[in-house]
Every structure is written in C-alpha cells, then in structure tokens.
Amino acid sequence: MASANLDGIGMTSPRARARMVERLRAQGILNPKVLEAMAKVPRHRFVDEALASRAYEDTALPIGFGQTLSQPYTVARLAELAVGPRRPDKVLEVGTGSGYQTAILAQLAGTVYTVECIEALQKKARFRLYDLKIYNVKYAHCDGSQGWPKYAPYDVIVVTAAAWEIPDPLLKQLAPGGVLVIPVEQGPRQILKRITCTEAGYAVEDIEPVKFVPLLGGKG
Ligand code: SAM
C-alpha cells in the first residue's frame, strides 16, 4: 500500500493515535474495547497519502467519489452505540467507504458483513484491510438500504450514511435483541438513532444530531 511506509513517523505514529484516543476519552467515549480498537487501527492507511498527516485530526476527510471518512469521534461513537459491552457475532455495515469503520468493527465482532454501492471504493477498502491482515470481513457491492439478506439476521447493523427513513429491510434483518444504529434526516437536521429489536417491538432512541453524507438509492 502507498502509505505503508508512513507507519511510525511524525503525524502518523502510534503517538499521534494515542493522542487521538485521549481526545476521544475526553469527548465521552468510554468503552475500553472501542478505545483499544481506535488505538490499534492505523487511520492514516485509509486516506490518500497527501492527507495522511491529517488522519488523526478531529475531522472528516475526503475519500473520493464525493464521499468522506467520518471524523474519529463519529466512528468511535457509532461503534460504542452499536456494540455495547458485548462481542456481537455478526455485524452488518452499510457504507464501507474507506474501510476504516469496518476495520474498527472487525476488532469488536466475530464477522463484519460490509456493503457499499460504489464498487471502486469497496475494492480499495478490501485491499487495505487485507494488507492489515484483517480477515473477518465479507464484502458485497450492492444497495445497502436493502441490507444483505443472505447472512441475516445480524446482532448489529451500522449505517454510515443518512437515510430519509429507517429502511424496513434493515429492521427485518435484525436478530432478536439486535441493535441498528442509523443517522436519519429529520427536518433541517440529521439525528443519530438507535433501534433495538425487543420482544415488544422496535424501541427507538434519539441519540444526538449528526452530519453524514446521504444514503444513496433505495430509501436514501
Ligand atoms: N464508514 C466509512 C469509512 O469509514 O470510511 C465512511 C462512510 S461514508 C460517510 C458513507 C458511505 O456509504 C459511502 O462510501 C457511500 O458510497 C456509501 N453509501 C451511500 N449509500 C449507500 C447505499 N445505499 N448502499 C451502500 N452504500 C452506500
């Protein structure tokens, strides 16, 4: 990989990553497993070399095709909300993007099933994860608003793009007790929602305002 030779120097060193983790802690990310994963995965390997020195800043970064790699806080927050204290067996991620969130989720779960509608992005992500020896990930190029029925049900579903409404197929692919975390357009803003599949039905929590690129196609 092009930026592999940046490992361990200056702005891309483990020290830069440790500073990012301290910032995340101060921002309220408390799950030790999530913080451990954020400390371990080299975020600078998921952006173009020209942006590598900015990888640990508290900012979203462009990844091409009009898409972005979310800021570290958002990635950690999605993981924390979705995974909780347990280790889920199966996680569906909608929106592979650069593969960074996928790599974080792969540290926290048995298998990550990740779907992406822009094939070229997913191809790059796949190479990056393979390069980092992260093998517990399955990939599909498809419209993620339909989920990935073949491997359903999932213990966790994480959507990394904002939907106009919660896609029904995603709710149907949740295992009993499963959790869906999804940003949803609500009036002039987006709200991050967590939906838990309970015996009594779907319990919906509004978590916090967020800013994501739109979910494309389908129910996007
Ligand atoms: N989690 C990613 C990362 O770590 O780089 C960033 C995701 S970016 C904010 C949102 C991604 O969702 C983009 O890569 C976009 O192409 C993808 N996307 C948007 N709509 C989609 C859809 N209907 N199905 C699958 N992927 C979709």
Side-chain angles (χ1 to χ4, degrees):
M1 172 166 306
S3 54
N5 61 352
L6 288 175
D7 283 351
I9 57 164
M11 302 298 282
T12 60
S13 67
R15 276 237 309 270
R17 215 145 53 235
R19 280 196 298 271
M20 176 188 76
V21 168
E22 279 320 303
R23 201 174 56 230
L24 290 171
R25 219 189 292 275
Q27 288 171 314
I29 303 296
L30 300 175
N31 185 323
K33 296 251 179 283
V34 171
L35 292 169
E36 211 175 286
M38 298 292 291
K40 186 170 166 197
V41 175
R43 184 173 157 94
H44 63 280
R45 299 273 290 268
F46 292 82
V47 292
D48 283 348
E49 205 167 325
L51 290 170
S53 64
R54 300 192 54 205
Y56 298 102
E57 292 176 11
D58 195 16
T59 184
L61 292 169
I63 55 172
F65 301 90
Q67 302 302 323
T68 53
L69 164 52
S70 302
Q71 69 189 102
Y73 171 78
T74 305
V75 173
R77 187 75 173 128
L78 287 184
E80 185 169 73
L81 285 167
V83 170
R86 65 222 162 105
R87 182 175 175 85
D89 188 25
K90 292 164 71 179
V91 172
L92 172 67
E93 179 195 35
V94 175
T96 315
S98 69
Y100 178 64
Q101 178 97 56
T102 321
I104 297 295
L105 292 170
Q107 311 303 307
L108 304 169
T111 306
V112 180
Y113 300 81
T114 185
V115 301
E116 168 60 55
C117 62
I118 301 175
E119 195 171 12
L121 275 181
Q122 193 172 57
K123 215 169 157 189
K124 263 186 161 176
R126 202 179 182 134
F127 278 125
R128 288 180 180 127
L129 269 78
Y130 190 79
D131 216 38
L132 291 168
K133 300 185 171 45
I134 297 173
Y135 302 129
N136 58 331
V137 179
K138 288 187 184 298
Y139 305 82
H141 168 228
C142 62
D143 174 7
S145 65
Q146 301 306 305
W148 192 353
K150 183 175 175 187
Y151 294 104
Y154 302 98
D155 305 305
V156 165
I157 301 179
V158 176
V159 182
T160 68
W164 285 104
E165 57 187 78
I166 300 167
D168 245 17
L170 297 186
L171 292 174
K172 295 212 170 88
Q173 288 170 37
L174 271 183
V179 169
L180 163 64
V181 176
I182 181 169
V184 181
E185 303 282 355
Q186 205 161 286
R189 57 188 197 156
Q190 298 174 356
I191 302 290
L192 188 61
K193 292 184 184 264
R194 176 166 61 182
I195 298 104
T196 307
C197 179
T198 72
E199 273 178 20
Y202 297 107
V204 181
E205 297 164 82
D206 284 1
I207 304 293
E208 61 201 30
V210 282
K211 190 90 195 87
F212 278 85
V213 294
L215 188 68
L216 307 169
K219 294 273 186 187

